[in-house]
Amino acid sequence: MPLSNRPTLTQFLIEERRRFPTASGQLNALILDVANACKAIAKSVAYGELAGMYGSHEGGGSVNVQGEEQKKLDVISNDIFIATTQWAGNIAGIASEEMDVPLPVPQQYPKGNYLLVFDPLDGSSNIDVNVSVGSIFSILRAPDAVVCDERPLTSDDFLQAGAEQIAAGYAVYGPVTMLVLTVGNGVHGFTLDPMLGEFKLTHRDMTVPEDTQEFAINASNSRFWESPIRRYVDECLAGKTGARGKDFNMRWIASMVAEAHRILLRGGVFMYPRDTKDPNKPGRLRLLYEANPIGFIMEQAGGRCSTGSVPMLQVQPTSLHQRIGLVFGSRHEVERIERYHTEPAAAPIDDSPLFAPRSLFRD
Ligand code: AFP
C-alpha cells in the first residue's frame, strides 16, 4: 500500500472512537500523548552517544525502587513520559518503574478519567550496546473520587487486575520504531515515519501463531527453575528425539519488549518464570507495567499470558512494584506449560538424580 494511503494513528483512533459515540475523547488524547512521548524517546535513543545518551544516571550509583542501576535514558524517558502526559486533563495520576510512589497530577492541571502506568525504557541495560529497547504502558480507569478531587490518589488505586486495563501497548525502538496498541479490539502495529514524525498503520489485526518451535528463556537461571519449567525446556532441548518429536530454536535478547514483538510477529514462547534464585523476588518482571500490558496484547492477539499457573490478567495485584513469574506467547505452548504446573506426577522424573543430565539414564 502506498505510504500516503496508510491511516495515521490519529485517524485510526478517531475511526475506533466512532464505535463509542458517547466517549469523551480523553482516551484517544491520552494515547496520542503517549505516542508523542514514544517519538521523543525514539529520537533520544536514535541519537545515542552523539547526544551523550549512554551511560549511568548521575555517573553511576543511582538506583530505582527495584534496586536496579538507572541509566541516563531511563531517567530521561521517565521525564519525557511525565511531561508529555500530565498536563492535558486526561489522567489523574502516573505510576512508573522509575518512581517509588505514584505521581498525582499537579494542582495546576485538570484531572482526567485515567491512570497511566509505564516502564519508560525496558531493556535499558542493552542501550549502550545498541540492542532494541522499548517503552511499555498500561491505561487504567481512575476512581471517580480521585477524578472529582474528593480524596487524594493512592498506590492502591493502581492495584487493578490486568483484565481491567482499558488500553495497553508498547513502543519498540529497533531498526524502525513501532508502536503496538490494543484498546480491547485486537492488536494493531504502527510504524514511525521518521520524516513525517507520524505513526502509520502498517500491521492491522496482529495475531500470534498458536504453535511455535521457538522459545526464549535466560538459561543461566536453570538451576533455580521449578520442575515444570525444567521439564518444558528439557523437552524443547531434546528436540526430535524427545517427547515433543520436533526441534526447537532458542532466542534471548534480554529486552522483553523486543522478545514480545518477535513473538507477536512470528510466534514463540517467552519465559521469565518464578524461580528460587532470590526468595524476596517471585519472578523478575513487574506485574503492573510489564506483565499486564504485554498480557493484554498477547490475549488480544490470540496468544496467551500466564504466571505459569494462572492467567496473568486475573491476578489481583498487591503492590505497585510487584514482581511475578511471566510466561507468554503462542497459545498451545503456554497452555502446555500451565498443564505441566498441574501435573506433579511428571515432576519427579526431572528431579530424580537418576535422570539428571550426564546420569545413568541420560546420554
Ligand atoms: P532492564 O530494563 O534493567 O534492562 O531490564 C529488562 C528486563 O527486565 C527485561 O526486559 C528482560 O527480559 C530482562 O530484564 C532480562 O534480564 P536478564 O536476562 O539479564 O535477567
Side-chain angles (χ1 to χ4, degrees), residues 26-67:
Q26 280 189 24
L27 180 64
N28 278 6
L30 174 56
I31 292 170
L32 290 172
D33 285 346
V34 168
N36 280 338
C38 295
K39 286 184 216 172
I41 296 167
K43 179 172 166 266
S44 299
V45 169
Y47 274 86
E49 191 56 16
L50 286 175
M53 291 292 167
Y54 289 167
S56 303
H57 179 56
E58 291 176 348
S62 165
V63 293
N64 64 16
V65 65
Q66 320 290 331

Side-chain angles (χ1 to χ4, degrees), residues 64-68 97 119 122 256 283-293 312 320-324 326:
N64 64 16
V65 65
Q66 320 290 331
E68 292 161 351
E97 181 187 11
D119 176 353
D122 177 68
M256 201 258 287
R284 168 165 169 128
L285 296 167
R286 277 55 59 115
L287 175 58
L288 285 179
Y289 39 83
E290 292 178 319
N292 274 345
M312 188 63 68
L320 199 59
H321 298 287
Q322 179 178 350
R323 294 178 190 260
I324 199 149
L326 173 60

